Amino acid sequence: MKVESRIFEICTGFFFVAAIVYTVLTHEPVGIAALFLTGGLSLIIGTYFRFVSRRLEERPEDNPEAEVADGAGEVGFFSPGSYWPIAVAACAALVGVGLAFFFWWLIIIAGVMLLIAVGGLVFEYHIRPADH
């Protein structure tokens, strides 16, 4: 994860430099706040990745002399066919429409549906222990 943390650290530097230049040139408060907050969020993500990278063993992506074959093998488990991501996206879109038009009833209904869809996605492969 060192590569990812380095990418976010470079982005953080860019955002803060851009925010300073923007401050000097424009004095426009909304853009200044947005650029500084973007730099701060990028700093949070980069710091998290740097913190996590110390606890993980080195991956092939972190070794500059690694070969393609070093990354071979099982990557992880991916669902072969799940409809839950579609449900999550549809419910999130409904929440967005409710927020855009400020329909409280739609926000509440879509929010409950979104929680159910996220629960379905998270617990899709959860198997209850046998009762015997």
Side-chain angles (χ1 to χ4, degrees), residues 1-130:
M1 301 203 71
K2 292 179 182 172
V3 173
E4 291 88 349
S5 65
R6 208 169 298 128
I7 290 171
F8 276 99
E9 290 163 356
I10 291 169
C11 288
T12 299
F14 170 77
F15 290 135
F16 282 132
V17 168
I20 292 168
V21 169
Y22 193 80
T23 302
V24 170
L25 294 178
T26 66
H27 304 291
E28 193 264 321
V30 176
I32 294 168
L35 282 170
F36 276 111
L37 289 174
T38 303
L41 291 173
S42 179
L43 177 66
I44 290 171
I45 296 169
T47 304
Y48 172 75
F49 281 161
R50 178 71 61 188
F51 182 73
V52 170
S53 71
R54 288 188 218 147
R55 292 197 157 97
L56 296 176
E57 62 185 45
E58 187 177 72
R59 303 177 308 161
E61 293 89 352
D62 298 328
N63 183 1
E65 297 175 8
E67 298 291 328
V68 175
D70 293 339
E74 186 174 325
V75 177
F77 174 75
F78 299 97
S79 178
S82 175
Y83 294 109
W84 286 112
I86 297 170
V88 170
C91 294
L94 274 177
V95 170
V97 168
L99 287 170
F101 292 111
F102 207 61
F103 292 151
W104 281 107
W105 59 272
L106 183 59
I107 295 169
I108 292 170
I109 292 171
V112 170
M113 289 171 49
L114 181 62
L115 290 175
I116 292 169
V118 168
L121 179 66
V122 169
F123 295 112
E124 181 175 11
Y125 291 102
H126 177 73
I127 300 172
R128 271 190 295 194

